Amino acid sequence: MAFSPYPITAKNGQQLQVRYLTPEDGDLLVDFVVRLSPQTRYQRFHVSMESASMEEIRRRLPPFLDVDQVDSVALLALHDGPKGERVVAVARFRRLPGAAEAENAVVVRDDWHRQGVGSALMEQLILAARARGVVRFTAMIQAGNRAVHQMLKAVNIRYTSHIEHGEDYIVMYLEEAVL
């Protein structure tokens, strides 16, 4: 079963194109990370990147561009504005080759929070993962990151969660998601 990404309409009425990330998207990803608030960067990467220069961000980029569209998949939500195409959200998963469980992450640019973009992109990531035989996502988020729980409830997916060492460990059951 194949999955093809499709456009998202945000709550603000703006249309976003969705496509798979490719290794050539480095400049788009750097621009995206630079536009995240220090808090959002910290919540996504679990390290302070507040003072990270453009060069430092570029240096850290290669693992995020390492996608094979089978075991490492990333989707971009893009807005075409007056200054060209910009990434507003990224959803990804990575698994050991052929495994049924994958780690996942979703991050939305701060100026697009609460527009339904994260949950809509997560739904597409779930469909892409199911098409590749993934039945569970796992994620480690910072305890207190309520936005992730709100997104999962919006997606209507069953999940479990427990706090350990200040981190919230989440397991999402994709086969039970009603999309």
Side-chain angles (χ1 to χ4, degrees):
M1 170 167 64
F3 169 77
S4 296
Y6 51 88
I8 293 170
T9 301
K11 288 179 183 175
N12 63 14
Q14 296 194 52
Q15 184 88 4
L16 303 175
Q17 294 306 310
V18 178
R19 68 169 173 80
Y20 287 105
L21 175 132
T22 69
E24 292 76 38
D25 288 326
D27 288 341
L28 280 172
L29 273 189
V30 169
D31 179 71
F32 173 70
V33 171
V34 166
R35 293 174 185 283
L36 298 175
S37 71
Q39 179 183 358
T40 298
R41 282 191 215 170
Y42 185 74
Q43 286 178 328
R44 168 58 185 96
F45 301 106
H46 297 247
V47 294
S48 177
M49 294 180 62
E50 192 167 342
S51 60
S53 68
M54 195 80 100
E55 308 323 324
E56 176 67 15
I57 292 169
R58 281 192 189 287
R59 189 180 67 71
R60 293 181 184 207
L61 200 56
F64 295 97
L65 292 170
D66 182 19
V67 289
D68 64 10
Q69 308 311 350
V70 176
D71 295 314
S72 180
V73 174
L75 295 172
L76 303 177
L78 301 132
H79 179 254
D80 196 12
K83 295 185 179 181
E85 190 176 62
R86 295 242 163 96
V87 176
V88 299
V90 178
R92 64 174 55 240
F93 74 81
R94 184 177 306 266
R95 66 178 173 176
L96 294 174
E101 183 173 285
E103 288 186 48
N104 90 301
V106 177
V107 64
V108 177
R109 217 171 69 190
D110 296 79
D111 55 334
W112 285 83
H113 284 181
R114 290 173 291 290
Q115 295 300 314
V117 175
S119 55
L121 199 58
M122 178 68 166
E123 287 176 358
Q124 291 195 42
L125 189 69
I126 289 169
L127 294 171
R130 282 177 170 172
R132 290 159 175 83
V134 177
V135 298
R136 276 181 314 285
F137 277 159
T138 60
M140 181 178 67
I141 65 170
Q142 294 169 346
N145 186 340
R146 293 274 134 244
V148 171
H149 290 275
Q150 291 169 342
M151 178 192 67
L152 293 175
K153 287 176 183 164
V155 171
N156 197 27
I157 187 170
R158 187 173 75 81
Y159 70 96
T160 59
S161 167
H162 73 276
I163 307 279
E164 190 176 306
H165 305 294
E167 300 288 335
D168 190 351
Y169 293 87
I170 299 175
V171 177
M172 295 153 263
Y173 301 94
L174 308 188
E175 69 276 8
E176 298 175 22
V178 180
L179 305 177

